[in-house]
Amino acid sequence: QVQLVESGGGLVQAGGSLKLSCAAPGQIFRRYAMAWFRHAPGEEREFVAAIRWSGGNTYDADSVKGRFTITGDKAKNTVYLQMNSLKSEDTAVYYCAAGTRWPSASARDYNYWGQGTQVTVSS
């Protein structure tokens, strides 16, 4: 069973920063596109950003452009989401996902999911 393990969530004041991490098995990390989604109470699950290793491409949602950055470390099989200038509306559970379609902002195109990590931004 494929396990994606997120970490790095927490409570931060508006305007602050957090960095999320997602550790993946090596065969997934090298072959799949990796993405971050978020899910706030009462809202639909929302795409945040994605990255793929072939070509070194990234793909961001408009709502986070200029504030969030997705990167990866091949040596550690880990994807990161650096979140700056956080707003109260960024409060959500953040999920790491792996899928084969590129580019895709649809959760249906991602086959593997982590358990999620809570991010709470206080205003």
Side-chain angles (χ1 to χ4, degrees):
Q1 185 173 349
V2 173
Q3 279 193 311
L4 306 179
V5 181
E6 302 101 333
S7 62
L11 174 64
V12 64
Q13 288 189 329
S17 299
L18 279 176
K19 187 174 185 177
L20 307 183
S21 301
C22 172
Q27 69 271 28
I28 296 297
F29 190 81
R30 289 186 294 271
R31 295 174 55 193
Y32 283 64
M34 303 292 297
W36 288 97
F37 285 79
R38 64 187 182 185
H39 193 188
E43 303 287 337
E44 298 287 326
R45 186 171 295 195
E46 178 188 16
F47 170 79
V48 176
I51 188 169
R52 67 170 179 174
W53 312 115
S54 59
N57 306 104
T58 62
Y59 174 45
D60 304 323
D62 288 342
S63 59
V64 304
K65 280 187 188 297
R67 299 190 301 124
F68 292 9
T69 303
I70 186 169
T71 59
D73 186 331
K74 293 181 182 180
K76 297 181 179 180
N77 295 334
T78 299
V79 176
Y80 302 100
L81 184 69
Q82 177 66 48
M83 304 185 294
N84 298 328
S85 302
L86 283 161
K87 306 174 183 179
S88 57
E89 52 261 46
D90 295 318
T91 295
V93 177
Y94 283 71
Y95 295 90
C96 177
T100 55
R101 179 167 289 189
W102 179 270
S104 176
S106 173
R108 292 173 294 183
D109 290 329
Y110 290 85
N111 309 92
Y112 303 107
W113 293 82
Q115 293 301 306
T117 185
Q118 176 71 47
V119 171
T120 303
V121 184
S122 63
S123 55

